[in-house]
Amino acid sequence: MNVILLNSENFINKNAENTYQPQACIYDEKIIHHVISVLGAKAGDELKVGEIGGNLGVATIERIDNKQLILKDIYLDTPPPPKLEMTVVLALPRPKVLRRLMMDMAAIGVRHIVLVNSFRTDKSYWSSPHLARLDEYLIEGLQQGVDTVLPTLTLARRFKPFVEDQLPALIGDGQAVVAHPYAQVGFGQFVSSCVPSVILVGAEGGFIPYEIELLASVGVVAASLGRRILRTEAAVNALLGRFLSAC
Amino acid sequence: MNVILLNSENFINKNAENTYQPQACIYDEKIIHHVISVLGAKAGDELKVGEIGGNLGVATIERIDNKQLILKDIYLDTPPPPKLEMTVVLALPRPKVLRRLMMDMAAIGVRHIVLVNSFRTDKSYWSSPHLARLDEYLIEGLQQGVDTVLPTLTLARRFKPFVEDQLPALIGDGQAVVAHPYAQVGFGQFVSSCVPSVILVGAEGGFIPYEIELLASVGVVAASLGRRILRTEAAVNALLGRFLSAC
């Protein structure tokens, strides 16, 4: 947690004109534990904070105990970093890895995330309780990556209608690429000439040939990271890492 | 697990001249569970296998039950993929993330891994029972990435002697870069002109200024992936992903 994000419920005395510095009150146990045990901070210390959807800045601890953290002198004057202007379409992965994937994509600054069904997505994944916690995971990612702006999130429970009806608009005038270990084109080679507007990544086992063909029919190029097969998490970071210096 | 790796203890009837096809016997519960429950394979089915340090190939299941897996007709005729000719020096991370980090580096094909102490490495990490299981994690990574060749592994419990006495030889005639969020140079910019021989990554919180300066004194350039701070795992994959297409 490299920044503590505040939402409208945390603020006390905040008015639209920002005519005086607001205070904030936090009851989140994870944040309180982090501030006490990891940062070892106490009343009077300064913390890095941000407002969800707003600016980054600092605040001073007015009071802290195991139940609540009261912040004063909240100055939010630094705009968040630019987003990675890209849609990442991910075949819904195993619940176990979903949290870290969402966190990492938010931390890296992906603008739009689509979780899509695929042949190799187990049907049970769509009824996982993790799906109700996606916003929480994204906020964890923003707190890791020091950003305030939530990615937009789309759930697409049917692959074909998503590809045919929604994907072309997401690609727009840009390029789209699907990570596919058996593609002839190298991913590095493909992105050396463009920053794609859409990157698609399969679940474990990848997309099946039918899915790759359907994607190709709307202009998605299959590209490979090489012979090695990476865990989905590792692949997503390996793919997106290339675009980071540019942010 | 995208390939099952066999070691010399697994082989039955293997002779140096390879004058007949060997058999193999596997007692590893994880592998047996994977073959039965994930692959749903049974006697007569073919599996992807490899020999640690040797070739990749296929084998046929002669017999399988919950206790043992007997393989016959083992043909190992495909060389493993080329390694990523690079040393990755990682500040020893929290035990919890060590397994995945080792797996990912092995899967990506890193030739040499150094785990080094750093100011922000908690001393207790060096007595974690996970340190006795590093080879196991590396083999898991090879089974993920479909490779047979273990990275070499060095543990460096003292930062300064490592940097002064061992690091220069690892850098050799190449370039070395340390990932540092506050560096002026962009990582993408740095590696656009060279593939570094050594990449260094800090633990959570990164290296401290003294460590960055000591590294600079032996020629290590600090480069940044941008303003965003990634989890160590995500950072390692984001950094190494750039070199993957070339493998």
Side-chain angles (χ1 to χ4, degrees), chain A:
Chain A
M1 200 180 295
N2 297 303
V3 66
I4 291 169
L5 291 183
L6 307 169
N7 61 38
S8 54
E9 289 169 16
N10 294 124
F11 283 101
I12 310 165
N13 300 336
K14 187 167 191 273
N15 62 0
E17 295 80 26
N18 283 316
T19 45
Y20 49 87
Q21 289 306 322
Q23 291 181 292
C25 190
I26 295 166
Y27 299 101
D28 183 309
E29 287 174 9
K30 253 193 203 167
I31 292 179
I32 292 173
H33 171 82
H34 178 80
V35 172
I36 294 177
S37 304
V38 181
L39 302 181
K42 53 190 188 313
D45 289 349
E46 209 167 68
L47 296 177
K48 287 189 195 169
V49 297
E51 179 178 7
I52 289 177
N55 278 346
L56 296 161
V58 293
T60 301
I61 300 177
E62 180 166 307
R63 207 164 68 231
I64 185 164
D65 59 35
N66 290 331
K67 299 275 183 209
Q68 61 176 9
L69 164 61
I70 314 273
L71 298 174
K72 63 178 180 181
D73 300 341
I74 304 176
Y75 293 96
L76 299 172
D77 53 4
T78 308
K83 295 307 262 191
L84 187 58
E85 295 298 346
M86 191 180 280
T87 298
V88 176
V89 179
L90 190 70
L92 184 67
R94 273 186 305 150
K96 201 178 157 189
V97 297
L98 185 58
R99 171 173 168 262
R100 289 195 302 266
L101 271 163
M102 297 300 281
M103 275 187 68
D104 288 350
M105 287 192 284
I108 269 182
V110 173
R111 169 70 76 188
H112 181 201
I113 298 169
V114 180
L115 295 176
V116 70
N117 195 39
S118 76
F119 183 80
R120 294 214 171 97
T121 295
D122 195 290
K123 276 208 174 63
S124 68
Y125 298 173
W126 286 105
S127 46
S128 159
H130 285 267
L131 282 188
R133 298 179 64 183
L134 295 177
D135 273 356
E136 183 188 325
Y137 303 155
L138 292 175
I139 289 174
E140 279 188 81
L142 295 178
Q143 293 186 136
Q144 167 70 45
V146 194
D147 189 359
T148 68
V149 182
L150 280 163
T152 53
L153 183 61
T154 304
L155 302 187
R157 284 164 190 266
R158 292 172 64 209
F159 185 78
K160 192 161 180 267
F162 166 73
V163 173
E164 292 179 339
D165 304 337
Q166 296 181 57
L167 186 55
L170 295 174
I171 300 172
D173 296 333
Q175 303 282 323
V177 60
V178 55
H180 186 52
Y182 310 108
Q184 297 301 312
V185 180
F187 183 75
Q189 185 188 337
F190 182 79
V191 300
S192 65
S193 59
C194 72
V195 174
S197 53
V198 180
I199 291 184
L200 298 102
V201 182
E204 281 158 287
F207 290 111
I208 61 171
Y210 164 78
E211 292 167 331
I212 295 291
E213 282 164 30
L214 192 67
L215 290 169
S217 75
V218 297
V220 179
V221 176
S224 164
L225 273 176
R227 271 172 71 182
R228 297 168 179 279
I229 300 174
L230 307 184
R231 296 187 305 129
T232 311
E233 270 173 272
V236 166
N237 286 302
L239 290 162
L240 298 182
R242 286 181 192 259
F243 307 108
L244 267 180
S245 288
C247 293

Side-chain angles (χ1 to χ4, degrees), chain B residues 161-200:
Chain B
F162 167 73
V163 172
E164 292 178 340
D165 304 337
Q166 295 182 56
L167 187 54
L170 295 174
I171 301 172
D173 296 332
Q175 304 282 322
V177 59
V178 54
H180 185 53
Y182 309 109
Q184 296 302 310
V185 180
F187 183 76
Q189 186 188 336
F190 182 79
V191 300
S192 65
S193 59
C194 72
V195 174
S197 53
V198 180
I199 291 185
L200 298 101

